[in-house]
Amino acid sequence: MKVTLIKGDGIGPEICDSMKKVLKALGSKVEFEEVNAGASVFEKENTFIPDEVFKSIEKNKIAIKGPITTPIGHGFRSINVELRKKYDLFANIRPIKSIKNIKTKYENVDMVIFRENTEDLYMGLEEKISEDEFHSIKVITRKKSERIIKAAFEYAKKFNRKKVTIVTKANIMKFTDGLFLNVGREISKSYPDIEFEELLVDNTAMQMVLNPNKFDVIVTENLYGDILSDLGAGLVGGLGLIPGVNKGEDIAIYESVHGSAPDIAGKNLANPIAILLTASLMLDDIGEENLAKKLRKSIEKTMEDKKNHTKDLGGDASLEKITQEIIKNLGGENE
Ligand code: NAI
């Protein structure tokens, strides 16, 4: 099965190479079609996303990508935002789960954040009023709220999750967040077996830190989802561990939550777990669930030994070392 691979910038190429090696060792049927986008491509080709990237994604329907550096302060917002908009990848799904053998202040955290991916303040509707005043317009629509909230409830139903928490700031943004919340209230009525909880975003941030175990599925708008998923990453050990996927009706782009980490790029220091768990989400979706399970088990097993922890986890293992250990531990257990 062909999958588009975009290695991206910064640590992207290193972690994607690690992922390719691990998937090969797993015996996955995935064949990668490599194209590239990002800052490094711009330097050579004067475009951030060459046409062949679009063609490949449209043909294969499934892509996995490394992070891309976003130029700040220029006309261009973000390649990620462009791809999400072009393919209407409305659901950004980010599982925040404690990994066995990676100790943090919290145990057994297991929540999934559904972030609306196409509207809110990320639409780029900014206007200059004067040199000293700029406006940014927040857009929330019923149609787009409905589909992300439904997706969250359907996920909860499918995976036997008990609760969906809707996160807004509807007390202040009465029209926009008020609409999102009202749509949530309406949709929740079709899922009587799933508890429906309403929380304000500031309170959510506090509760996530005080007691993350109370959360199950969270559904929220674009900006709140962006911030809460980084907060969630911090609860379970950092950005180097959190997978994600952007899904539309027929195209899915798998990518970790973290960025291109320019501070550690090219130094063999990056943690590949996030991209490996991202790959495991992809394997789950393409019918290779057993391989996905095997991969997750191997990651847990590899983490038993602190010598295999990368710098972000307090250790000094290199990217190459942890990749080799994960491959070694794949063989051990059969489901
Ligand atoms: P970042 O996620 O790249 O880095 C934040 C901190 O986390 C850094 O200290 C970094 O070393 C560490 N970190 C991130 N991933 C790691 C990993 N796998 N292993 C070990 N440590 C890791 O966020 P930052 O610095 O805000 O953004 C850098 C660039 O990445 C920016 O241009 C930003 O726009 C872009 N970005 C791209 C994303 C994407 O393509 N999906 C997502 C987020 C940011």
Side-chain angles (χ1 to χ4, degrees):
M1 139 155 252
K2 278 239 166 89
V3 167
T4 300
L5 172 63
I6 302 165
K7 288 184 178 174
D9 298 314
I11 59 171
E14 312 165 58
I15 56 170
C16 287
D17 284 341
S18 158
M19 189 256 310
K20 275 175 72 180
K21 284 182 203 155
V22 172
L23 258 57
K24 191 165 178 221
L26 255 180
S28 165
K29 290 200 179 69
V30 167
E31 275 175 55
F32 290 109
E33 183 171 283
E34 286 188 35
V35 288
N36 212 359
S40 54
V41 172
F42 185 78
E43 280 164 25
K44 284 181 229 140
E45 302 186 32
N46 211 26
T47 170
F48 285 99
I49 318 180
D51 267 355
E52 56 170 9
V53 172
F54 296 122
K55 281 192 194 131
S56 177
I57 294 174
E58 283 156 30
K59 178 163 56 86
N60 297 325
K61 311 279 186 217
I62 295 181
I64 185 160
K65 68 174 273 297
I68 282 173
T69 301
T70 304
I72 295 175
H74 301 285
F76 207 82
R77 227 166 335 133
S78 150
I79 290 156
N80 299 308
V81 175
E82 287 308 306
L83 288 173
R84 288 170 198 170
K85 274 184 77 175
K86 182 169 172 73
Y87 296 120
D88 200 17
L89 305 173
F90 65 92
N92 186 323
I93 307 167
R94 295 173 163 179
I96 310 279
K97 197 170 188 305
S98 301
I99 298 178
K100 216 166 126 194
N101 300 319
I102 296 182
K103 291 269 167 292
T104 69
K105 286 185 189 141
Y106 307 98
E107 277 176 22
N108 304 320
V109 175
D110 184 6
M111 68 180 96
V112 182
I113 299 180
F114 275 70
R115 163 186 170 194
E116 203 291 325
N117 229 355
T118 59
E119 48 186 18
D120 194 356
L121 286 164
Y122 286 58
M123 292 193 70
L125 298 175
E126 295 193 294
E127 79 181 296
K128 179 176 171 180
I129 306 299
S130 73
E131 282 306 330
D132 299 315
E133 185 173 346
F134 297 86
H135 292 185
S136 182
I137 297 168
K138 169 163 175 158
V139 178
I140 298 291
T141 62
R142 170 174 293 277
K143 186 173 158 235
K144 295 194 171 173
S145 304
E146 269 173 6
R147 59 183 190 176
I148 186 73
I149 296 167
K150 260 191 201 147
F153 272 100
E154 282 299 313
Y155 178 95
K157 193 170 142 188
K158 182 169 172 195
F159 293 102
N160 214 11
R161 297 271 182 169
K162 304 282 175 265
K163 183 166 74 170
V164 172
T165 303
I166 190 165
V167 176
T168 65
K169 189 74 184 169
N171 55 334
I172 304 294
M173 279 162 275
K174 305 227 184 256
F175 288 164
T176 49
D177 287 21
L179 173 62
F180 193 81
L181 177 58
N182 278 331
V183 170
R185 286 176 179 160
E186 285 160 25
I187 290 175
S188 70
K189 289 186 192 135
S190 308
Y191 299 86
D193 298 336
I194 298 168
E195 188 191 337
F196 178 63
E197 179 183 45
E198 300 173 7
L199 279 186
L200 296 176
V201 64
D202 39 353
N203 185 19
T204 307
M206 180 186 70
Q207 304 253 357
M208 276 174 73
V209 172
L210 284 179
N211 181 14
N213 303 84
K214 70 166 275 195
F215 291 98
D216 201 342
V217 174
I218 289 178
V219 64
T220 189
E221 295 163 16
N222 211 337
L223 178 61
Y224 308 144
D226 195 0
I227 297 168
L228 292 179
S229 46
D230 269 32
L231 173 58
L235 301 174
V236 299
L239 282 171
L241 303 172
I242 307 297
V245 55
N246 298 292
K247 282 188 178 168
E249 297 298 346
D250 64 342
I251 288 182
I253 300 186
Y254 294 79
E255 66 176 331
S256 318
V257 173
H258 64 74
S260 56
D263 51 336
I264 56 166
K267 295 182 180 163
N268 199 16
L269 290 175
N271 189 343
I273 292 179
I275 192 82
L276 292 174
L277 290 176
T278 298
S280 85
L281 293 180
M282 177 182 75
L283 296 179
D284 273 335
D285 288 345
I286 62 168
E288 294 193 347
E289 296 92 339
N290 284 341
L291 297 186
K293 248 190 205 167
K294 204 167 163 184
L295 173 53
R296 289 192 280 260
K297 278 252 151 117
S298 167
I299 291 170
E300 285 175 2
K301 189 157 184 231
T302 305
M303 289 301 100
E304 262 171 29
D305 189 345
K306 286 226 159 59
K307 280 199 221 96
N308 296 331
H309 288 199
T310 40
K311 198 160 165 252
D312 55 310
L313 301 177
D316 60 6
S318 67
L319 165 63
E320 223 163 277
K321 154 110 173 139
I322 172 172
T323 306
Q324 278 162 12
E325 292 299 322
I326 288 170
I327 289 173
K328 219 188 278 170
N329 288 327
L330 284 173
E333 307 185 28
N334 276 316
E335 288 301 320

